[in-house]
Structures are given as C-alpha cells and as structure tokens.
Amino acid sequence: DKPIIEHIVENLRIQGFKNFFITTHYEYEIIQQHFQQKRYADINIEFFIEEEPLGTAGSLFLLKEKINSDFIVMNSDLLTKINFRNLLSFHQQHNGAGTICTKDYQFQVPYGVVCSDNMSLSKILEKPTYSYLVNAGVYCFGNKILNYIDTKEYLDMPTFLQKLLGKDEKINIFPIHEHWIDIGNMSDYKKVQLTN
C-alpha cells in the first residue's frame, strides 16, 4: 500500500538525508502529487521533469546547478536495507570519481556443462553454480562528474560509467550484503509483497 519510491525516500530520511531530487518522465504528475500530499517537514524534495526520457545518467544534466557536493543516485524500482551513510563514507575514503554498488548474484546451470579441448571432452561439470557481481542500481559520485554530462540527451548509467573509465576516472566498487531486490518484473513484485 505504499509506492516503492516512498519506501526509498523514507529509508534515506531515517538515515539523515535531507535533500532529494527526483527526475522523472512517465506519469510525473502522479508522483509529484503523492509527495505533495505527504508534506514532509524535515526534508526537501524537488522534482525535475524530463520532456523526453534521459536515462539515469542523462537526467543528472537537469541537476548540474543544484549539486555541489558528493551525492547518491538510485533507481526508483529498488528495495534495499543498505546503509547509505556507510556508502557515502566509503566513497569519500576511497578517492574515486564514483562508487558503484554491487550485489553477488548466483546462477545455477540446470544441466551438466561440457568442457572441451579441441572437440574432445575434457570434463563435465554437473549443474555448476556461477557467481557474478551485478550492478545494484545505486551509485555515489563526486559533483565533478557532472562536467562530463554536457548535453541534455539520453545517457544510461553503464554507458556513462564506461565514459568515466575512458577518461581515466577511478570508479570504486561497494558490495551490498544487506537485503536488496530489483522490482524488475511481476514475480519479483509478488515476492516483495510476501516478505514486506
């Protein structure tokens, strides 16, 4: 009975964050009205409307005149118990242009995996499990990265991070061990309804 973005704002609010910038395109009026009705007295929320979808990184163009310190960027379809203060502290201690949060993701192949050497069987791995660090959709940046966003056009975060790496900027990795779920499809949404 509560929008995901409200969970996000309230979690950050409890952790002491005061200033929120929400960039949105799709049905922005509904989101704006919802937060205007909440009337939080202890935090500031500003809305920035994307006339055309700009992507997670591209929407930062709208905030260039607003941000003058380190800041956190988060997708609004995530539920997580991450300690954002720890993230900010980690980012500041590791002297990078940015920090990307990651989550360990394990995938089990449901079949035996055949390994070969020049078309000859070398071994069979029965239903192996592989582990990957995946992008958790939460980032922390120093405000100087805004200088790399110089046009108001679509720019997704993976492309932007590659651009920063191409400029020899350091991007740190912050593993998330706390609860984290991306509400990317209906099965994930139903799972969250049962656990929250």
Side-chain angles (χ1 to χ4, degrees):
D1 297 324
K2 186 188 290 188
I4 295 170
I5 193 170
E6 187 177 341
H7 283 279
I8 293 168
V9 168
E10 289 185 354
N11 186 16
L12 285 157
R13 178 183 173 218
I14 288 167
Q15 294 186 42
F17 292 86
K18 301 289 184 194
N19 296 306
F20 296 82
F21 303 112
I22 298 176
T23 63
T24 186
H25 170 73
Y26 180 70
E27 295 193 358
Y28 68 87
E29 302 98 334
I30 294 171
I31 298 168
Q32 243 179 332
Q33 287 171 4
H34 178 81
F35 280 105
Q36 285 167 350
Q37 291 169 359
K38 298 301 290 184
R39 292 194 178 120
Y40 294 111
D42 57 339
I43 61 174
N44 303 309
I45 301 176
E46 286 188 61
F47 290 88
F48 295 83
I49 311 307
E50 302 170 37
E51 295 163 12
E52 295 293 327
L54 295 174
T56 305
S59 67
L60 297 176
F61 180 85
L62 303 174
L63 308 180
K64 289 182 79 153
E65 304 302 317
K66 292 284 183 178
I67 298 176
N68 55 19
S69 61
D70 295 340
F71 62 101
I72 293 171
V73 177
M74 183 174 174
N75 296 346
S76 62
D77 58 355
L78 302 173
L79 287 177
T80 181
K81 300 293 185 187
I82 182 175
N83 184 316
F84 291 98
R85 287 270 169 214
N86 288 349
L87 167 61
L88 189 59
S89 176
F90 175 92
H91 170 74
Q92 291 169 341
Q93 290 171 8
H94 287 82
N95 300 318
T99 300
I100 179 174
C101 292
T102 60
K103 186 72 176 168
D104 185 54
Y105 179 80
Q106 294 189 344
F107 170 73
Q108 183 175 25
V109 179
Y111 309 104
V113 173
V114 173
C115 301
S116 63
D117 181 15
N118 198 22
M119 297 306 289
S120 293
L121 178 66
S122 59
K123 63 182 171 182
I124 295 179
L125 303 173
E126 188 58 33
K127 299 180 181 175
T129 298
Y130 296 99
S131 182
Y132 301 94
L133 284 179
V134 298
N135 181 353
V138 181
Y139 316 88
C140 191
F141 292 108
N143 66 322
K144 75 171 189 172
I145 64 97
L146 296 170
N147 296 328
Y148 292 112
I149 305 173
D150 47 15
T151 55
K152 187 177 170 183
E153 60 186 26
Y154 184 86
L155 180 62
D156 64 29
M157 193 57 79
T159 303
F160 181 56
L161 291 170
Q162 284 298 135
K163 179 178 182 177
L164 292 176
L165 292 174
K167 301 288 187 181
D168 292 326
E169 294 286 5
K170 181 182 175 190
I171 307 295
N172 295 303
I173 292 175
F174 183 81
I176 296 175
H177 302 290
E178 298 89 347
H179 172 76
W180 173 90
I181 188 163
D182 177 356
I183 314 299
N185 56 53
M186 190 55 73
S187 65
D188 290 335
Y189 175 76
K190 287 178 180 175
K191 190 189 309 179
V192 168
Q193 295 300 316
L194 295 173
T195 59
N196 284 311

